């Protein structure tokens, strides 16, 4: 008498109406259909429905498990620091099934979030102070909604000074304002001199 076997590779899962595997998620329906509850990624693969010892009576079912995307930044801190003029490399790692596609945008861009590039690595060369900000890495594989992770780029630059006016005219006894704007990291200390003599901050 021929009996129906369910195999996964060389391992027998069921024989006739007996469950051979110890995994309680497997069940026979109507005596011949195999049911797997609470599927996991490791359940993916080929399942053979075999009647007796006749290879020509095999029926192969391929199970593929769809996994929503997940993404994380590298480094995990999500912060990358580079000096002005250097090269910044931002990286994120995604997983899921199908394999997610990865794209980058500038989160804090002046006009929306323009697309920057595709792939797990975003490389910015000859960076300057304006490149500092938040960059967003998206992962999408069509299963549920895309997911993202934000990375912060910090560009270290020496102080830059601009003045409102090169020449300031004032009459005797009137007030004159000398205005300069300083850009730099870590709140640079500002001093003013007159003929090489320190006038601000006063000591």
């Amino acid at each position: 008498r021929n009996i129906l076997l369910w195999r996964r590779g060389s391992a027998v899962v069921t024989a006739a109406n007996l469950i051979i595997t110890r995994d309680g998620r497997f069940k026979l329906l109507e005596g011949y259909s195999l049911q797997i509850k609470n599927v996991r990624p490791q359940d993916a693969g080929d399942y053979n429905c075999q009647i007796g010892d006749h290879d020509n009576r095999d029926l192969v079912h391929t199970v593929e498990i769809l996994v929503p995307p997940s993404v994380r930044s590298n480094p995990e801190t999500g912060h990358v620091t580079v000096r002005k003029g250097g090269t910044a490399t931002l990286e994120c790692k995604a997983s899921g099934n199908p394999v997610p596609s990865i794209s980058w945008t500038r989160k804090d861009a002046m006009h929306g979030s323009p697309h920057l590039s595709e792939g797990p690595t975003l490389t910015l060369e000859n960076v300057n102070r304006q490149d500092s900000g938040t960059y967003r890495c998206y992962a999408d594989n069509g299963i549920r909604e895309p997911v993202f992770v934000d990375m912060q780029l910090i560009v270290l630059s020496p102080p830059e000074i601009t003045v409102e006016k090169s020449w300031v005219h004032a009459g005797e006894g009137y007030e004159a304002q000398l205005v300069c704007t300083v850009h730099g990291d870590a709140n640079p200390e500002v001093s003013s001199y007159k003929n090489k003599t320190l006038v601000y901050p006063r000591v």
Side-chain angles (χ1 to χ4, degrees):
R1 178 188 170 193
N2 291 328
I3 62 172
L4 184 143
L5 300 176
W6 277 102
R7 295 178 179 272
R8 187 180 180 191
S10 61
V12 177
V13 179
T14 71
N17 52 2
L18 297 176
I19 305 294
I20 307 301
T21 179
R22 294 182 180 181
D23 193 328
R25 298 175 302 122
F26 288 78
K27 182 181 178 181
L28 279 172
L29 301 179
E30 301 180 3
Y32 57 85
S33 295
L34 183 66
Q35 181 188 74
I36 311 171
K37 292 185 176 180
N38 302 320
V39 291
R40 305 165 183 165
Q42 55 266 35
D43 293 324
D46 291 339
Y47 292 80
N48 288 51
C49 176
Q50 178 182 336
I51 298 177
D53 296 326
H54 302 283
D55 293 338
N56 60 347
R57 296 187 186 180
D58 281 10
L59 181 63
V60 180
H61 294 264
T62 300
V63 175
E64 181 178 5
I65 310 299
L66 302 179
V67 181
S70 62
V71 66
R72 59 186 176 88
S73 60
N74 184 34
E76 292 184 1
T77 59
H79 288 79
V80 173
T81 302
V82 64
R83 292 187 179 277
K84 178 183 177 181
T87 298
T89 301
L90 286 70
E91 181 181 12
C92 67
K93 298 183 178 181
S95 59
N97 187 37
V99 176
S101 61
I102 299 176
S103 60
W104 291 88
T105 64
R106 177 75 183 264
K107 180 185 175 184
D108 50 1
M110 294 295 292
H111 304 288
S113 299
H115 177 268
L116 295 176
S117 72
E118 302 281 343
T121 302
L122 174 65
T123 301
L124 303 172
E125 297 181 349
N126 194 25
V127 296
N128 57 40
R129 184 168 46 84
Q130 286 73 28
D131 293 316
S132 291
T134 304
Y135 293 79
R136 178 164 287 182
C137 170
Y138 283 93
D140 184 15
N141 68 352
I143 308 300
R144 298 182 186 171
E145 294 297 318
V147 293
F148 63 84
V149 64
D150 288 340
M151 297 191 70
Q152 190 75 24
L153 174 62
I154 302 169
V155 178
L156 299 177
S157 58
E160 299 175 6
I161 300 176
T162 57
V163 295
E164 283 189 0
K165 298 178 180 178
S166 301
W167 291 88
V168 176
H169 301 276
E172 184 177 355
Y174 288 87
E175 181 181 282
Q177 285 192 341
L178 310 178
V179 180
C180 72
T181 303
V182 180
H183 300 283
D185 304 298
N187 299 319
E189 182 179 328
V190 178
S191 301
S192 299
Y193 293 83
K194 179 184 179 182
N195 297 331
K196 299 184 181 180
T197 301
L198 180 66
V199 293
Y200 177 85
R202 291 182 172 85
V203 293

